Amino acid sequence: MERRKFIQHAGLAGILATGIAPAVRAESPAIRWRLASSFPKTLDTIYGAAETFSAKVKEMSGGKFEISVHPGGELMPPFGVVDGVQQGTVECAHTAPYYFFGKDETFAMDCAIPFGLNSRQMTAWCYDGNGFSLFREFYKNYNIVNFPMGNTGAQMGGWYRNDIKTLEDIKGLKMRIGGFGGKVLERIGGVPQNIPGGEIYQALEKGTIDATEWVGPYDDQKLGFQKVVKNYMYPAWWEGGPQLVLYVNSKAFDGLSAENKAIIQAASSYAHVEMQAKYDARNP
Amino acid sequence: MERRKFIQHAGLAGILATGIAPAVRAESPAIRWRLASSFPKTLDTIYGAAETFSAKVKEMSGGKFEISVHPGGELMPPFGVVDGVQQGTVECAHTAPYYFFGKDETFAMDCAIPFGLNSRQMTAWCYDGNGFSLFREFYKNYNIVNFPMGNTGAQMGGWYRNDIKTLEDIKGLKMRIGGFGGKVLERIGGVPQNIPGGEIYQALEKGTIDATEWVGPYDDQKLGFQKVVKNYMYPAWWEGGPQLVLYVNSKAFDGLSAENKAIIQAASSYAHVEMQAKYDARNP
């Protein structure tokens, strides 16, 4: 645009407004979003990925794009985040897709299925293989734009009130188990429960459940399961490398500039690597 | 800053200049850097990481920060990149640090050492452990600010003109081998050679070397080793997960805005994940 035309079009007021824009922006960010996590704030690994993501977006945008992070239950129930993003109640969410296999079993594929991919295979499928574009297509049904954002690596088999020695011990076992693995547990006589991370301890203490799995020693200790039950088993055949995902409301995403779209992608990527690094360092 | 003071300070010409800045910036990026890679352009995995990095920086900065990527040999020899960054001939480089263990054996630690860390362990050490801050300290001696940028995962043991059956077959074996592993080869009678990726084929064909290792099937086939020699062996005990690194001249880095520093970090992180994903998908 030529300078003369620009002046004609904008007028002096417009030029002044542009001129002082940086000073105004420094005080109030141009874009404010909310992120609903499915996880409790106590877990710096899994909840922390959303905080890392948010911090990187803020840094890269020079403070012009701020995303506040809210733990499970603060804005909506931990398992309400797909509905929340779909309806636009929040602009984005961070969750483990397999929680939603009741809506559609495809969700589980974007996280972990029994005897499925390990974390490097998941990342390879999503960054270089066909996985990512398949999920983009699937999530359109939910007004969601997805980004891989974290992986716990291989998990432990969980905490059991009583020792498990034979298949008989599974009969009637009420176990909190993540995702599609519950379907397999059911087939061999167990009673799977889909309970958010922040509510497991209480359920185990009350006796609502007989067993639970979460992630591995670093997180499990923070959630305090060892105070209630004593049998810790390995491995979790139901999740070789569960992937966490950032869900963004598609209308909110489409409204972003190309720069901010790229910033969302790279910030989620940074959080993706960092979460796995934390697990690998702390659950060696 | 108040509007009145701003006007007094800047004058109308200043305001106009600010007003039309976006139109000017769209034509010529505010920052132009050059990146020297140690790798040949034919390898979309390892050379491609620098291109991915550069593309992300451009996207996130809205075209205001452009980094041109140059294959090994174009601006300086493939193994000249540490000197290039140190002296500020280029603003940044992408390389495998173990190439430079002759300068200081510490370089090898930021890449791979015999029977050392695998790729997840390296990333964990650099993103969550003490590795990263140790390397930041070390690289100060070279005016370098470092960022992990890629990992090939476990490697193959390489191509040999003659079959290797006993330690006797190593005696006098002239082998192109990356990094510190060469020191071990030397101890058991071999003759290690430090040759850049783009020059190996010719050395093998001419008979200057008897054997070589590079990465794995996907890359090795592109470099064409199978046309010259027929014995392919496994595993490479000298590199369990060699890390590639982005080197940035510290003066150039210090001159960046906080936004652009964060963009460099996240863009290199994206490239870090993507390179490993490519290797895991293509060398399954």
Side-chain angles (χ1 to χ4, degrees):
Chain A
M1 189 190 282
E2 287 170 35
R3 179 186 286 205
R4 203 168 56 81
K5 278 195 188 161
F6 178 82
I7 295 171
Q8 281 174 348
H9 179 72
L12 188 60
I15 295 169
L16 288 173
T18 312
I20 60 162
V24 173
R25 278 205 300 257
E27 282 158 30
S28 66
I31 308 173
R32 270 190 200 280
W33 277 13
R34 298 190 301 172
L35 181 151
S37 171
S38 288
F39 309 106
K41 210 166 182 167
T42 39
L43 301 175
D44 62 314
T45 41
I46 204 162
Y47 177 80
E51 288 183 317
T52 297
F53 163 72
S54 159
K56 293 293 155 202
V57 169
K58 189 175 172 180
E59 276 177 48
M60 285 192 275
S61 67
K64 294 192 289 292
F65 189 175
E66 277 194 19
I67 301 177
S68 59
V69 179
H70 304 268
E74 193 174 286
L75 301 177
M76 60 194 64
F79 292 163
V81 300
V82 166
D83 296 340
V85 173
Q86 187 175 6
Q87 292 154 15
T89 314
V90 287
E91 289 83 5
C92 53
H94 186 229
T95 193
Y98 65 9
Y99 292 147
F100 310 100
F101 79 96
K103 286 180 187 287
D104 188 315
E105 290 167 359
T106 311
F107 277 98
M109 302 282 294
D110 191 23
C111 181
I113 54 168
F115 305 103
L117 305 181
N118 67 24
S119 68
R120 274 172 60 179
Q121 290 166 332
M122 268 309 283
T123 297
W125 193 39
C126 288
Y127 270 76
D128 191 58
N130 198 30
F132 188 70
S133 59
L134 288 173
F135 289 123
R136 276 280 157 105
E137 205 177 304
F138 167 69
Y139 283 125
K140 275 188 188 159
N141 307 314
Y142 297 88
N143 305 328
I144 284 174
V145 179
N146 60 301
F147 296 90
M149 194 158 102
N151 197 306
T152 70
Q155 300 214 341
M156 289 293 286
W159 296 86
Y160 298 77
R161 200 176 309 278
N162 302 309
D163 199 5
I164 305 293
K165 289 187 171 160
T166 71
L167 265 182
E168 278 307 301
D169 299 326
I170 301 288
K171 293 268 155 65
L173 184 85
K174 281 179 287 175
M175 177 170 183
R176 184 275 175 196
I177 177 170
F180 204 75
K183 284 220 154 182
V184 179
L185 186 75
E186 205 166 37
R187 283 285 194 93
I188 55 175
V191 186
Q193 311 278 325
N194 207 8
I195 301 175
E199 299 166 26
I200 303 172
Y201 180 89
Q202 210 181 9
L204 200 61
E205 200 182 26
K206 274 189 179 169
T208 317
I209 52 173
D210 310 308
T212 185
E213 61 79 43
W214 177 247
V215 173
Y218 183 77
D219 283 1
D220 291 8
Q221 194 172 16
K222 290 202 161 189
L223 296 180
F225 305 144
Q226 77 282 2
K227 295 181 202 154
V228 195
V229 296
K230 299 296 170 196
N231 300 289
Y232 200 25
M233 295 190 186
Y234 180 85
W237 44 263
W238 51 88
E239 28 192 341
Q243 175 166 280
L244 291 303
V245 179
L246 172 75
Y247 286 160
V248 183
N249 175 276
S250 50
K251 206 176 151 187
F253 189 74
D254 290 344
L256 293 177
S257 67
E259 291 93 309
N260 283 332
K261 283 178 183 168
I263 283 174
I264 290 278
Q265 184 197 37
S268 62
S269 185
Y270 184 87
H272 186 68
V273 201
E274 194 199 57
M275 188 201 286
Q276 174 93 65
K278 281 185 179 172
Y279 277 115
D280 285 344
R282 296 163 197 211
N283 287 327
Chain B
M1 190 188 287
E2 288 170 37
R3 178 185 288 204
R4 205 169 53 83
K5 278 196 185 156
F6 177 84
I7 293 171
Q8 281 174 349
H9 181 72
L12 187 61
I15 296 170
L16 288 172
T18 310
I20 60 160
V24 173
R25 277 204 299 255
E27 282 159 28
S28 67
I31 307 172
R32 271 189 200 280
W33 277 14
R34 297 190 303 172
L35 182 152
S37 170
S38 287
F39 309 106
K41 211 166 183 167
T42 38
L43 301 176
D44 61 316
T45 41
I46 204 162
Y47 177 80
E51 289 184 316
T52 296
F53 162 73
S54 158
K56 294 291 157 203
V57 169
K58 188 175 173 182
E59 278 178 46
M60 287 193 274
S61 68
K64 294 193 288 291
F65 189 176
E66 277 192 21
I67 301 176
S68 58
V69 179
H70 305 267
E74 194 175 287
L75 302 179
M76 58 193 64
F79 293 162
V81 299
V82 165
D83 297 338
V85 173
Q86 185 175 6
Q87 292 154 16
T89 315
V90 287
E91 290 83 6
C92 52
H94 185 229
T95 193
Y98 65 10
Y99 293 146
F100 310 99
F101 80 97
K103 285 180 187 288
D104 188 317
E105 289 167 1
T106 312
F107 277 99
M109 300 283 292
D110 191 23
C111 181
I113 54 169
F115 306 103
L117 306 181
N118 67 24
S119 67
R120 276 173 59 180
Q121 290 166 333
M122 268 308 282
T123 297
W125 192 41
C126 288
Y127 270 76
D128 191 57
N130 197 31
F132 189 70
S133 59
L134 289 173
F135 289 122
R136 276 280 157 107
E137 206 177 304
F138 166 70
Y139 284 125
K140 273 186 190 161
N141 306 318
Y142 298 89
N143 304 331
I144 283 174
V145 179
N146 60 303
F147 296 90
M149 195 158 103
N151 197 306
T152 70
Q155 299 214 343
M156 289 294 286
W159 296 87
Y160 298 77
R161 200 177 309 278
N162 302 310
D163 199 3
I164 304 293
K165 289 187 172 159
T166 72
L167 267 182
E168 278 307 303
D169 299 325
I170 301 288
K171 295 265 156 68
L173 184 84
K174 282 179 286 179
M175 179 172 182
R176 184 273 173 197
I177 178 169
F180 203 75
K183 283 220 154 181
V184 181
L185 185 76
E186 205 166 37
R187 283 287 195 93
I188 54 176
V191 185
Q193 312 279 325
N194 208 8
I195 301 176
E199 298 166 25
I200 302 172
Y201 180 90
Q202 211 182 6
L204 201 58
E205 200 183 28
K206 273 189 181 169
T208 317
I209 52 174
D210 310 308
T212 186
E213 61 80 43
W214 177 247
V215 173
Y218 183 77
D219 282 3
D220 291 7
Q221 194 171 16
K222 289 200 163 191
L223 295 180
F225 304 144
Q226 76 283 359
K227 294 181 202 155
V228 194
V229 296
K230 299 297 171 196
N231 300 288
Y232 199 25
M233 294 189 189
Y234 181 85
W237 45 262
W238 51 90
E239 29 193 340
Q243 175 167 280
L244 291 302
V245 179
L246 173 75
Y247 286 159
V248 183
N249 174 276
S250 51
K251 204 175 154 191
F253 189 74
D254 291 344
L256 293 177
S257 66
E259 291 94 307
N260 282 333
K261 282 178 182 166
I263 283 175
I264 290 279
Q265 184 196 38
S268 62
S269 185
Y270 184 88
H272 186 69
V273 200
E274 195 199 58
M275 187 202 285
Q276 174 92 66
K278 280 186 181 172
Y279 277 114
D280 284 346
R282 296 164 197 210
N283 286 329

